[in-house]
Amino acid sequence: MSDRILITYSIVGEHAKEIADAIRVEQSIEFPIELASARIQRDVVGQIESLSSPVNNKTEVVISYDQRVVGGELPQLLNVLWGNVSLIPGVGVTDISLPDSVLKNFKGPRFGVPGLRQLFDAPTRPLITTALKPMGSSASELAEMATVLALAGFDMIKDDHSLANQPWATWRTRVEAVASAVAQANEKSGNRTLYAPSLNLPADQIFQAAHEAKSLGAGALLLLPGISGFDAMRAIAEDDSIALPIQSHPAMLGSMLTSRDQGLSHSILLGTLMRLAGADISIFPNFSGRFSFTQEECLSITTSARQPLGKLKPIWVAPAGGMSLDRIPEMRKIYGTSLALLIGGALSRGSLEHNAQAMVASVS
Amino acid sequence: MSDRILITYSIVGEHAKEIADAIRVEQSIEFPIELASARIQRDVVGQIESLSSPVNNKTEVVISYDQRVVGGELPQLLNVLWGNVSLIPGVGVTDISLPDSVLKNFKGPRFGVPGLRQLFDAPTRPLITTALKPMGSSASELAEMATVLALAGFDMIKDDHSLANQPWATWRTRVEAVASAVAQANEKSGNRTLYAPSLNLPADQIFQAAHEAKSLGAGALLLLPGISGFDAMRAIAEDDSIALPIQSHPAMLGSMLTSRDQGLSHSILLGTLMRLAGADISIFPNFSGRFSFTQEECLSITTSARQPLGKLKPIWVAPAGGMSLDRIPEMRKIYGTSLALLIGGALSRGSLEHNAQAMVASVS
């Protein structure tokens, strides 16, 4: 048992056992089980470990899979977790337990909580981060904004995730201008602000762009695993010649989260998977913001960001999406210290300089 | 208007106008609109073009976006289409219209319907395809299976999508053994069967693996855009030094489809996006198979696979997932001729050789 992958499914309706039997085959051999050899039935097909009594018309079923089914790679781990079963209505995944034989293949976050505490000389305080906005601004306008934020003492300034190669500020022009502005501000202030450009770029350019960003002076990276694929983030995080902190953004992942009856738990998608795939900071919508996550869902992400997961470092949570300065005390209370505060548009309400300084002062 | 991207949203509930106003900002500048300049409000933020009267508590809203918001690249097009809005419950996308200024950036399928008709000398008949299964088989067992299928005259034989780097048949060993078996069978029979290995592989190996597959003798490729990202498929499809037909598989995309109130339409996700991203054949679950798609949903994919889309070629549909020989006449009637029949496990029920020959004979 200890060397098997355990996945807990929540199955709606009266036929949970039949559906579980379909899932354990669908997620492994995808083949009529009675036609498979005894060895394959025993070693390769998933096995039902437990089946709860239904509560509110939902049954919890634990299916275990031989770790060899994953073959040690993240794409196939994602496929076992949520490949074809994603097409079955009324099935959700509420928990996953990975044995060391799987976890040993993943380096996870390069920095995580301890690494960024050291990097930013922030032994106990939350990180102070923001985003460059709005799309439509020129590279020099974004660079001016970055100068103000860097002088104020932010830890990290990321591109808005949707900044790509728009004509108003193409990627290379923007990264060069902003990285240079942040470097000059740091020189002036003595701060160590990092700029994280968005790698919202074509798949055949993303790895090269990560290197180029670094050579242009970017000190961190923003990845969109729902668009680039989780494994692109994993590969960039593991690349010793890049070695920059990574923020992950949940764009395009929402459909796995918005149904109560179908999808992955918030904890797995935005905690465990982000961590496995090398994010140092997982950005997600805070409760009572522009989106609909509940406080409980947000805290479940925090739990999986921090709880033991093989030798993988714990990661920072960045609950965001319409946050403002007045939410900071509440957020610090709820999320504790391994919190990356991320306030974007609200800093531009009035004086950016004043608001930026106030945000930094509030946690110093 | 003709140069703008039109996206039609279906919004549940009484506050459709407010939600639409939130979406048009969220999917563009992600910034308090009143703080943006008049130019950005006009040129960058999405604009509501129409808003229907609610029917069954749903309102259809058309929002247009300046094509510059996309910047000519697929990752940002996906982000505009379904990035942050994926996190809002009760919102679905039912239609998308792309102007030529966006479409001109995409080559789409290299072969499509006309290209594969020519390649397989199949001017009117459906394509005959299958999958190598089950996981747990050795490379030589899969190669033996491929020999039988190739001798029977199949057009394409793909890896089961979940075959990755499992110890029973690692990727390179498998691709080498199967490609070689298919080549030998073709030499013997005079057939032109193509083998499509699954590129269910790490992001930093997938492009090299596509080249390696070709050099090992693979004649086609299977991509999993829900796991690799759509843009990895686009990049491989556009690479003139690879230039192999591509089958796309819907693994991990299901959550965007299983809710009636949230997600992308089947037509957009498995038709338009697969085509934009270069699939020649879009595999999806047929109705009355192992999954829950309706006939109407399947036919909507067929429509977007074939209807005019800039200069992009139409693509094949491969409705699959628990199909058997007795479904062929019905499928041909419903889907017409640009149909890639895909029968997997059912061919192993009894004599594989007999069933394979019967499937080929049924469409010759």
Side-chain angles (χ1 to χ4, degrees), chain A residues 26 30 34 39 69 73 76 82-83 86 133 136 161 165-166 200 202-203 231 252 254-255 262 290 349, chain B residues 26 30 34 39 69 73 76 79 82-83 86 133 136 165-166 200 202-203 231 252 254-255 262 290 349:
Chain A
E26 193 68 49
E30 222 186 323
E34 70 279 11
R39 175 185 64 82
V69 165
E73 294 172 347
Q76 174 58 8
W82 200 237
S86 75
K133 314 179 169 212
H161 83 281
N165 250 317
Q166 292 92 353
N200 179 17
D231 203 60
M252 210 167 165
S255 298
Q262 209 267 0
R290 292 202 308 273
R349 210 176 278 288
Chain B
E26 191 68 50
E30 220 185 326
E34 70 279 11
R39 175 185 65 80
V69 166
E73 295 172 347
Q76 174 58 8
N79 190 40
W82 201 237
S86 74
K133 312 179 172 210
N165 250 318
Q166 292 90 356
N200 179 16
D231 204 60
M252 208 163 165
S255 297
Q262 209 270 0
R290 290 201 309 271
R349 210 175 276 290

Side-chain angles (χ1 to χ4, degrees), chain A residues 105-108 110 233-241 243 246 276 278, chain B residues 204:
Chain A
N105 298 295
F106 296 96
K107 295 185 183 170
R110 180 178 291 270
M233 182 162 78
R234 193 267 323 147
I236 289 170
E238 286 187 5
D239 187 333
D240 291 335
S241 65
I246 290 177
L276 270 180
Chain B
D204 47 351

Side-chain angles (χ1 to χ4, degrees), chain B residues 28 166 175 196 220 263 306 311 316 319 338:
Chain B
S28 55
Q166 292 90 356
V175 175
R306 296 173 187 172
K311 292 178 177 168
W316 300 79
S338 304

Side-chain angles (χ1 to χ4, degrees), chain A residues 60-78:
Chain A
E60 290 242 311
V61 182
V62 178
I63 298 178
S64 72
Y65 298 90
D66 190 302
Q67 58 88 13
R68 290 173 290 179
V69 165
V70 162
E73 294 172 347
L74 184 57
Q76 174 58 8
L77 175 59
L78 295 172

Side-chain angles (χ1 to χ4, degrees), chain B residues 347-362:
Chain B
L347 293 181
S348 293
R349 210 175 276 290
S351 159
L352 178 67
E353 185 179 7
H354 172 85
N355 292 332
Q357 288 169 351
M359 183 167 165
V360 173
S362 76

Side-chain angles (χ1 to χ4, degrees), chain A residues 153 203 363:
Chain A
V363 298

Side-chain angles (χ1 to χ4, degrees), chain A residues 92-160:
Chain A
V93 175
T94 58
D95 201 12
I96 181 171
S97 167
L98 297 169
D100 287 340
S101 54
V102 171
L103 287 173
K104 75 174 166 55
N105 298 295
F106 296 96
K107 295 185 183 170
R110 180 178 291 270
F111 298 87
V113 172
L116 295 189
R117 285 218 175 284
Q118 191 170 12
L119 193 65
F120 293 116
D121 190 17
T124 57
R125 66 169 173 83
L127 301 186
I128 308 161
T129 82
T130 185
L132 298 174
K133 314 179 169 212
M135 184 196 295
S137 306
S138 67
S140 59
E141 285 168 336
L142 295 169
E144 279 169 39
M145 192 176 185
T147 298
V148 173
L149 295 160
L151 288 176
F154 273 67
D155 294 308
M156 293 175 86
I157 303 170
K158 73 174 182 73
D159 278 347
D160 215 8

Side-chain angles (χ1 to χ4, degrees), chain B residues 105-187:
Chain B
N105 298 296
F106 296 96
K107 295 185 181 168
R110 180 178 291 271
F111 297 89
V113 172
L116 295 189
R117 285 217 175 287
Q118 191 171 11
L119 192 66
F120 292 118
D121 190 18
T124 57
R125 67 169 174 82
L127 300 186
I128 308 161
T129 83
T130 187
L132 298 175
K133 312 179 172 210
M135 184 197 292
S137 306
S138 67
S140 59
E141 286 168 332
L142 295 169
E144 279 170 37
M145 194 177 183
T147 299
V148 173
L149 295 160
L151 288 175
F154 272 67
D155 294 309
M156 293 176 84
I157 302 169
K158 73 173 181 74
D159 278 347
D160 215 8
H161 83 281
S162 54
L163 297 183
N165 250 318
Q166 292 90 356
W168 304 291
T170 57
W171 190 84
R172 194 159 293 106
T173 310
R174 180 176 79 248
V175 175
E176 199 161 14
V178 175
S180 161
V182 169
Q184 284 172 40
N186 283 345
E187 199 168 332

